[in-house]
């Protein structure tokens, strides 16, 4: 299911509508909500397009993700929590992300 599935689930909840509205996608929330009630998970996933995915999540190689996290949050956060829904990354990948985040 991964990040698209997680965002589809989050987006289906009324509490997440404001997040979608900030991105001009508030109309997606009731559609995702209706699909969640019918159990149409695959359509929910499909509705999280590449633009929305890249806006709400950080995706890429460890180095790309570290650079994007620093770009988005470097001025306002001194720590982050990485979450890898629906995946099993090797320890070496997670280590590479941590090292890239530590580097200037």
């Amino acid at each position: 299911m991964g990040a698209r599935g997680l965002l589809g689930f989050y987006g289906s909840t009324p509490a997440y509508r404001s997040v979608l509205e900030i991105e001009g996608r508030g109309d997606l929330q009731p559609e995702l909500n209706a699909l969640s009630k019918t159990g149409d998970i695959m359509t929910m996933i499909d509705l999280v397009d590449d633009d929305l995915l890249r806006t709400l999540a950080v995706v890429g190689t460890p180095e790309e993700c570290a650079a994007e996290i620093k770009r988005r949050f470097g001025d306002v956060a001194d720590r982050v929590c990485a979450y890898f829904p629906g995946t099993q990354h090797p320890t070496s990948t997670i280590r590479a992300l941590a090292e890239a985040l530590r580097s200037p």
Side-chain angles (χ1 to χ4, degrees):
M1 179 152 60
R4 285 181 203 274
L6 188 63
L7 291 172
F9 168 74
Y10 286 161
S12 74
T13 64
Y16 214 73
R17 184 176 181 125
S18 61
V19 173
L20 294 171
E21 285 177 344
I22 288 169
E23 299 305 326
R25 302 289 298 272
D27 59 321
L28 185 58
Q29 189 278 323
E31 187 174 358
L32 289 168
N33 185 269
L35 290 165
S36 73
K37 291 176 180 175
T38 66
D40 193 351
I41 305 301
M42 294 314 294
T43 301
M44 292 171 69
I45 290 169
D46 289 342
L47 288 174
V48 178
D49 60 33
D50 288 346
D51 288 338
L52 188 58
L53 175 68
R54 292 188 184 287
T55 298
L56 299 178
V58 174
V59 296
T61 66
E63 294 77 16
E64 292 167 342
C65 288
E68 183 63 11
I69 290 167
K70 289 176 184 180
R71 184 188 72 75
R72 290 186 193 187
F73 308 111
D75 294 341
V76 295
D78 60 6
R79 63 183 72 145
V80 298
C81 177
Y83 180 47
F84 309 102
T87 62
Q88 292 292 325
H89 291 289
T91 303
S92 60
T93 301
I94 296 169
R95 183 178 301 116
L97 175 61
E99 290 171 359
L101 284 167
R102 278 192 216 108
S103 70

